[in-house]
């Protein structure tokens, strides 16, 4: 039943009725009525909920249990044998690093995040790639190298860096997002 699916998906997403209402731009009472089967959301709200919960509209509408929410992407670290000089997507050279970390900054279903922006769906970064190296006086420094719209893109980038060899390597970022004027928002 739709009412049960909405309640299950909302709870799996860790949202209160009020938080879901805010994201869908409806009242908390509307969410309560949907979950009690006293009324039903309009088709636009069903589509928005399916995007928010990371399931298809069919899965939301069918009377079968919703799939379990995906596990949050985990941080990943790569230690390189040599120094890798990173060139970002704007062709700017950055410092050399020997350790790289992927770190989630927010995520949605399947390691992807989308937000509704004035009726349009926009992909937002879910992961950052950080370089770790020695800074002033030999102190450890952590530098953001790139942001990624999917965990898959971030992992591909890390795998490409891992495949480089040599004591001094130059590497051009390939999968990072262009971030001109983009504000990162956690889902």
């Amino acid at each position: 039943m739709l009412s049960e699916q909405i309640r299950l998906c909302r709870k799996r997403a860790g949202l209160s009725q009020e938080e879901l209402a805010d994201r869908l731009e409806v009242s908390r009472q509307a969410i309560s009525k949907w979950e009690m089967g006293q009324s039903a959301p309009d088709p636009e709200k069903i589509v928005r909920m399916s995007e928010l919960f990371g399931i298809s509209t069919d899965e939301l509408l069918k009377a079968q249990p919703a799939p379990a929410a995906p596990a949050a992407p985990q941080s990943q670290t790569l230690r390189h044998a040599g120094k890798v000089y990173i060139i970002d997507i704007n062709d700017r050279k950055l410092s050399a690093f020997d350790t790289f970390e992927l770190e989630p900054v927010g995520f949605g279903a399947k390691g992807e995040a989308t937000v509704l922006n004035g009726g349009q769906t926009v992909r937002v970064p879910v992961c950052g790639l950080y370089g770790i190296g020695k800074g002033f006086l030999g102190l450890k420094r952590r530098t953001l190298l790139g942001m990624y719209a999917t965990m898959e893109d971030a992992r591909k980038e890390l795998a490409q860096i891992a495949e480089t060899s040599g004591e001094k390597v130059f590497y051009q970022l390939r999968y990072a997002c262009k971030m001109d004027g983009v504000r990162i928002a956690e889902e």
Side-chain angles (χ1 to χ4, degrees):
M1 221 177 174
L2 177 60
S3 58
E4 183 65 16
Q5 285 291 85
I6 293 171
R7 188 182 65 76
L8 286 172
C9 289
R10 175 183 60 78
K11 288 190 174 211
R12 283 196 178 116
L15 297 172
S16 68
Q17 285 184 342
E18 186 148 339
E19 290 168 326
L20 179 58
D22 286 345
R23 291 188 183 203
L24 296 175
E25 299 172 345
V26 298
S27 69
R28 189 206 52 79
Q29 291 80 2
I31 302 295
S32 178
K33 286 180 180 180
W34 296 348
E35 289 183 358
M36 292 188 311
Q38 294 176 349
S39 67
D42 63 46
E44 177 203 351
K45 301 301 183 207
I46 290 172
V47 170
R48 288 179 68 183
M49 278 189 283
S50 73
E51 290 171 347
L52 179 66
F53 299 142
I55 62 174
S56 70
T57 54
D58 284 348
E59 290 171 301
L60 187 59
L61 293 169
K62 289 182 180 172
Q64 63 186 19
Q74 299 297 312
S75 297
Q76 208 173 331
T77 302
L78 164 72
R79 297 200 194 295
H80 197 277
K83 295 282 184 195
V84 181
Y85 291 81
I86 298 295
I87 302 167
D88 74 9
I89 58 175
N90 297 315
D91 292 326
R92 291 182 299 212
K93 291 185 175 94
L94 301 173
S95 299
F97 304 96
D98 58 6
T99 304
F100 300 88
E101 287 181 352
L102 292 181
E103 184 176 300
V105 294
F107 82 104
K110 301 174 190 154
E112 294 187 5
T114 58
V115 292
L116 290 172
N117 180 15
Q120 290 184 317
T121 301
V122 179
R123 287 172 57 174
V124 296
V126 297
C127 184
L129 173 65
Y130 295 85
I132 312 235
K134 291 200 175 17
F136 184 67
L137 298 175
L139 300 174
K140 177 178 160 181
R141 74 169 169 25
R142 189 170 189 252
T143 304
L144 177 64
L145 305 175
M147 299 297 289
Y148 298 84
T150 68
M151 284 302 291
E152 180 183 334
D153 287 347
R155 287 185 181 117
K156 280 196 273 186
E157 193 86 81
L158 198 61
Q160 292 283 322
I161 293 170
E163 289 178 13
T164 62
S165 61
E167 240 178 82
K168 184 177 179 182
V169 177
F170 287 88
Y171 179 81
Q172 171 84 45
L173 295 180
R174 298 177 183 139
Y175 304 101
C177 299
K178 289 208 180 248
M179 296 299 294
D180 300 332
V182 174
R183 197 183 106 217
I184 299 166
E186 238 180 85
E187 257 196 18

